[in-house]
């Protein structure tokens, strides 16, 4: 376990695999990122909005690159996790990231909440992904988020399969999916 200067507890280095997953029925789904690096695995649980923002942010960053930049090799400089078998699992409070033009790769961080009764630091991971991994993760994240309940065209709230009483219609209209 390394301690980075910015307070990150687990620096996973360059991940070999990153996947966005969802479980459950629309309206009751849970979301997570699965990260693999060396002998470490991390499950970072997210809210749907966090996953959507991650996907949208990565897509925007990749789309801003020129064609030649996108085709340039990504070479994150930090090696993969070289420690023992480790499973890191927590619910993310905050996600952040940036593109490093020198290595043409993305550096991301996920930070959880600390337990107020414990003196331990909040769980956190940092990791590097390539432009190709960022592109796939962005597309998959946005696809997963779009597969949920459709938004109401008036108020933007999700429409449940059983219907939706729209607050903007003052309860005078019930909208259904399908």
């Amino acid at each position: 376990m390394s301690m980075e200067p910015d307070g990150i507890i687990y620096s996973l280095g360059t991940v070999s695999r990153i996947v966005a997953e969802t479980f459950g029925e629309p309206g009751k789904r849970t979301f997570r990122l699965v990260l693999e690096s060396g002998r470490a695995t991390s499950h970072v649980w997210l809210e749907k909005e966090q996953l959507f923002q991650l996907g949208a942010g990565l897509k925007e960053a990749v789309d801003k690159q020129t064609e030649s930049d996108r085709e340039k090799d990504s070479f994150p400089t930090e090696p993969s996790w070289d420690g023992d078998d480790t499973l890191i699992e927590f619910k993310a409070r905050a996600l952040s990231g940036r593109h490093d033009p020198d290595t043409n790769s993305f550096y991301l961080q996920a930070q959880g909440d600390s337990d107020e009764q414990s003196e331990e630091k909040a769980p956190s991971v940092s990791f590097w992904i390539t432009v190709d991994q960022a592109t796939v993760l962005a597309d998959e994240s946005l696809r997963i988020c779009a597969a949920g309940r459709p938004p109401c065209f008036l108020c933007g709230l999700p429409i449940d399969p059983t219907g939706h009483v729209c607050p903007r219609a003052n309860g005078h209209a019930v909208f259904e999916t399908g």
Side-chain angles (χ1 to χ4, degrees), residues 90-151:
F90 63 94
K91 182 170 178 14
R93 172 185 47 83
L95 297 172
S96 61
R98 64 178 169 80
H99 178 258
D100 179 26
D102 294 335
T103 63
N104 196 31
S105 55
F106 291 88
Y107 175 74
L108 302 168
Q109 296 179 343
Q111 297 174 322
D113 279 326
S114 61
D115 181 5
E116 292 179 14
Q117 274 65 30
S118 173
E119 292 185 18
E120 290 184 30
K121 288 181 123 344
S124 56
V125 294
S126 67
F127 54 95
W128 289 87
I129 59 174
T130 65
V131 171
D132 288 342
Q133 287 173 313
T135 301
V136 171
L137 179 61
D139 291 344
E140 185 66 9
S141 297
L142 295 174
R143 185 195 64 75
I144 285 172
C145 291
R149 299 173 291 170

Side-chain angles (χ1 to χ4, degrees), residues 24-83:
E25 297 297 317
K28 297 181 176 40
R29 295 188 302 167
T30 55
F31 305 86
R32 77 176 179 185
L33 289 178
V34 177
L35 312 164
E36 294 177 2
S37 179
R39 293 171 43 191
T41 301
S42 180
H43 297 159
V44 180
W45 294 92
L46 307 168
E47 296 294 330
K48 179 180 179 180
E49 185 63 25
Q50 289 174 305
L51 183 61
F52 176 78
Q53 292 299 326
L54 174 64
L58 287 173
K59 181 163 181 47
E60 181 181 350
V62 170
D63 287 349
K64 280 185 177 179
Q65 289 187 302
T66 65
E67 184 80 23
S68 63
D69 284 342
R70 267 184 254 139
E71 291 173 0
K72 226 170 42 174
D73 284 340
S74 288
F75 52 97
T77 56
E78 193 174 334
S80 294
W81 176 266
D82 62 358

Side-chain angles (χ1 to χ4, degrees), residues 1-29:
M1 173 169 52
S2 72
M3 190 65 132
E4 291 191 346
D6 53 4
I8 297 296
I9 296 174
Y10 295 97
S11 177
L12 298 180
T14 303
V15 297
S16 56
R17 180 173 178 255
I18 182 167
V19 180
E21 296 181 330
T22 185
F23 305 93
E25 297 297 317
K28 297 181 176 40
R29 295 188 302 167

